[in-house]
């Protein structure tokens, strides 16, 4: 589709047009002209949107859709539409399905599902077979098929030797090992953050120690083996300190945080709303402050939505029995841009995560392939259930004030508007 974006403020620090308000003409999937006032050719569609800003296409490195196996939560086809309308042109797809993404055939299946769409799927393979934490999966074969990293999604690996072997083995092909930060023995049956609120509510708590012990263990293993380690969705102040110290030693460690853990505390639990049952559990304001500081000083490398649709049968239950997880593609940008500002937020969902996973980083200039997110930073609104595009409606942001609006995205010659 050939399109002309009228009066778009370009947000791309690598571009000569950064912060300029210009027209952008896209022909045959590539940017053909950027100028103050372009006349739309006969074979293109003119797009005029209020206070339009465009940036390089956003990448969410932690997304679950359900398919294969849990299509009632979200199919890949519909999930791609949700991502595109939420401004994302690329997603890292977790092994949160059945069968698990533990072979090159499943990786190939997932890659094929995104062909001809506006969103590129980058599968994250299981670290172990069937994500059971017992035997290393076919890591090299999966990487050759297109897997960008390896992770047993939301499962803390009990066997330290398994992480050690994975870090050693993946060095031969520069693979990225991900280790979820949770010591299962310390966490026990906890369903919320251990603290004042868990005590008041009578809910079993998971102490911050469960995360921090696992982070510390994995960093010791990394120091011993070398290799590349990513720690996803950290949630405590001490985790930030541990990872900052490891980086100062020169270890190849990166980490991420979900939008939920930057904006919501465990004070929300008083209504026993299972939409706030998330893994890792929501923590305290002290933790949020430390995580935000970690984002700003570069200790935390990027932000994800940790989008995890859960069907109503498994979410609308007594709090302790409900599944963990919240949707987040639709709310990531509008919940954070007023808190972090565009400079930090755009970097944390474009340049930095793309470089860590070895993916191409685009630029908004003539001749480049058009890979764009369309949005405005203006306006405030209350996030409602109707704003959830996903099949499953388990969002922790319902009822919260958000800032700005996502108009959609353009990628692979496909324009998707919300």
């Amino acid at each position: 589709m050939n399109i002309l974006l009228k009066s778009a403020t370009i947000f791309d620090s690598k571009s000569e047009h950064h912060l300029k308000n210009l027209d952008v003409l896209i022909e045959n999937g590539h940017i053909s002209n950027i100028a103050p006032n372009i006349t739309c050719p006969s074979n293109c569609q003119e797009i005029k949107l209020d206070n339009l800003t465009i940036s390089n296409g956003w990448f969410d490195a932690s997304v679950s859709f359900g398919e294969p196996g849990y299509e009632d939560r979200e199919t890949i086809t519909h999930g791609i539409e949700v991502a595109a309308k939420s401004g994302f042109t690329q997603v890292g797809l977790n092994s949160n399905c059945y069968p698990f993404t533990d072979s090159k055939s499943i990786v190939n299946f997932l890659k094929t599902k995104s062909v001809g769409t506006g969103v590129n799927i980058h599968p994250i393979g299981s670290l172990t077979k069937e994500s059971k934490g017992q035997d290393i999966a076919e890591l090299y074969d999966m990487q050759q098929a297109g897997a960008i990293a390896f992770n047993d999604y939301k499962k803390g690996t009990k066997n330290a030797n398994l992480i050690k072997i994975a870090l050693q083995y993946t060095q031969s092909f520069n693979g990225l090992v991900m280790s979820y930060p949770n010591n299962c023995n310390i966490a026990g049956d906890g369903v919320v953050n251990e603290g004042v609120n868990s005590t008041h509510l009578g809910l079993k708590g998971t102490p911050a120690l469960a995360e921090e012990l696992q982070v510390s263990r994995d960093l010791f293993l990394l120091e011993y083996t070398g290799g590349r380690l990513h720690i996803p969705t950290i949630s405590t102040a001490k985790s930030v300190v541990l990872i900052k110290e490891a980086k100062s030693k020169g270890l190849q460690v990166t980490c991420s945080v979900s939008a939920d853990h930057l904006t919501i505390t465990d004070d929300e639990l008083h209504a026993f709303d299972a939409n706030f049952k998330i893994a890792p559990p929501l923590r305290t304001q002290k933790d949020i402050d430390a995580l935000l500081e970690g984002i700003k000083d570069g200790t935390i490398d990027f932000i994800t939505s940790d989008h995890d649709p859960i069907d109503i049968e498994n979410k609308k239950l007594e709090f302790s029995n409900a599944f963990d997880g919240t949707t987040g593609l639709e709310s990531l940008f509008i919940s954070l841009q007023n808190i972090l500002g565009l400079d930090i937020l755009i970097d944390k969902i474009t340049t930095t995560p793309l470089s860590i996973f070895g993916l191409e980083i685009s630029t908004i200039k003539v001749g480049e392939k058009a890979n764009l997110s369309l949005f405005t930073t203006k306006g405030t609104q209350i996030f409602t259930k109707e704003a959830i595009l996903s099949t499953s409606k388990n969002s922790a942001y319902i009822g919260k004030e958000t800032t700005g609006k996502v108009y959609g995205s353009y990628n692979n010659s496909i324009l998707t508007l919300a």
Side-chain angles (χ1 to χ4, degrees):
M1 176 186 289
N2 297 334
I3 65 169
L4 175 63
L5 300 174
K6 295 293 291 184
S7 299
T9 298
I10 297 170
F11 196 93
D12 176 10
S13 59
K14 301 181 297 297
S15 171
E16 63 181 297
H17 307 295
H18 183 49
L19 299 182
K20 296 178 182 178
N21 189 272
L22 300 165
D23 292 354
V24 179
L25 180 62
I26 302 171
E27 297 180 290
N28 300 317
H30 288 72
I31 299 172
S32 61
N33 194 12
I34 301 176
N37 190 15
I38 302 173
T39 301
C40 194
S42 58
N43 62 339
C44 86
Q45 179 183 357
E46 185 172 289
I47 304 295
K48 289 183 177 181
L49 298 167
D50 293 340
N51 300 303
L52 173 63
T53 299
I54 62 173
S55 72
N56 293 306
W58 302 340
F59 171 45
D60 190 336
S62 181
V63 171
S64 301
F65 286 150
E67 186 182 355
Y70 305 108
E71 287 81 0
D72 51 336
R73 299 179 185 176
E74 191 84 277
T75 66
I76 292 175
T77 299
H78 190 259
I80 284 172
E81 181 183 351
V82 173
K85 288 182 177 180
S86 301
F88 294 92
T89 61
Q90 303 187 72
V91 298
L93 193 59
N94 293 311
S95 181
N96 188 20
C97 50
Y98 191 81
F100 293 95
T101 312
D102 61 359
S103 67
K104 64 180 180 181
S105 61
I106 301 297
V107 172
N108 285 328
F109 166 76
L110 297 173
K111 293 283 288 184
T112 301
K113 293 289 285 188
S114 69
V115 172
T117 74
V119 176
N120 300 329
I121 285 180
H122 304 290
I124 297 172
S126 292
L127 182 63
T128 62
K129 293 178 180 178
E130 298 184 353
S131 287
K132 289 182 176 180
Q134 296 174 359
D135 301 301
I136 296 285
E138 303 169 3
L139 306 188
Y140 177 74
D141 286 349
M142 286 193 287
Q143 177 147 315
Q144 292 300 107
I148 58 172
F150 310 103
N151 180 34
D152 290 339
Y153 182 68
K154 299 295 184 185
K155 296 178 180 178
T157 304
K158 293 182 180 180
N159 186 345
N161 192 52
L162 192 149
I163 296 294
K164 177 177 75 72
I165 292 170
L167 286 168
Q168 291 172 326
Y169 172 55
T170 51
Q171 290 179 55
S172 63
F173 52 92
N174 198 34
L176 179 61
V177 173
M178 300 171 70
S179 181
Y180 179 64
N182 184 49
N183 182 302
C184 304
N185 294 323
I186 297 294
D189 296 326
V191 294
V192 297
N193 178 55
E194 182 181 87
V196 173
N197 286 319
S198 66
T199 303
H200 285 170
L201 299 172
L203 294 170
K204 291 183 179 179
T206 294
L209 179 66
E211 174 174 312
E212 294 152 7
L213 275 178
Q214 196 84 341
V215 169
S216 182
R217 183 204 74 175
D218 289 343
L219 291 174
F220 272 113
L221 289 170
L222 179 65
E223 189 170 9
Y224 176 80
T225 62
R228 299 171 63 219
L229 174 68
H230 178 74
I231 302 174
T233 57
I234 65 169
S235 65
T236 77
K238 181 66 173 178
S239 291
V240 178
V241 173
L242 290 169
I243 293 168
K244 188 171 185 176
E245 289 175 351
K247 287 189 171 188
S248 70
K249 295 179 182 179
L251 299 183
Q252 291 191 76
V253 60
T254 56
C255 66
S256 59
V257 65
S258 80
D260 314 312
H261 293 94
L262 293 173
T263 53
I264 308 174
T265 72
D266 62 351
D267 291 339
E268 300 282 359
L269 300 174
H270 288 83
F272 293 94
D273 184 347
N275 283 330
F276 296 109
K277 189 181 182 190
I278 299 169
L282 296 170
R283 304 290 187 181
T284 67
Q285 187 61 51
K286 178 183 176 182
D287 293 305
I288 286 182
D289 292 342
L291 292 167
L292 288 171
E293 184 59 33
I295 283 284
K296 293 172 183 176
D297 69 17
T299 301
I300 299 175
D301 297 275
F302 61 87
I303 300 167
T304 73
S305 70
D306 206 22
H307 180 81
D308 190 8
I310 303 296
D311 55 281
I312 192 171
E313 287 82 5
N314 289 303
K315 199 60 171 174
K316 199 171 181 62
L317 297 171
E318 181 182 348
F319 192 94
S320 295
N321 295 327
F323 283 21
D324 297 317
T326 174
T327 57
L329 282 167
E330 305 96 324
S331 54
L332 185 150
F333 177 80
I334 57 178
S335 66
L336 287 175
Q337 66 102 0
N338 197 42
I339 295 173
L340 294 175
L342 282 186
D343 285 310
I344 293 176
L345 179 55
I346 297 299
D347 173 72
K348 298 299 183 183
I349 55 176
T350 56
T351 305
T352 300
L354 288 168
S355 63
I356 288 170
F357 289 97
L359 301 173
E360 183 180 355
I361 300 171
S362 59
T363 305
I364 301 175
K365 66 178 183 180
V366 173
E368 286 285 307
K369 179 180 179 289
N371 178 7
L372 306 171
S373 299
L374 286 62
F375 58 94
T376 178
T377 60
K378 308 296 184 182
T380 59
Q381 58 280 314
I382 300 299
F383 191 81
T384 64
K385 188 174 181 179
E386 289 68 35
I388 303 173
L389 305 173
S390 304
T391 301
S392 299
K393 305 300 179 184
N394 55 305
S395 173
Y397 284 97
I398 295 174
K400 298 190 178 302
E401 184 175 89
T402 55
T403 306
K405 179 181 179 180
V406 178
Y407 288 128
S409 60
Y410 183 96
N411 187 37
N412 298 331
S413 300
I414 296 172
L415 173 68
T416 307
L417 295 178

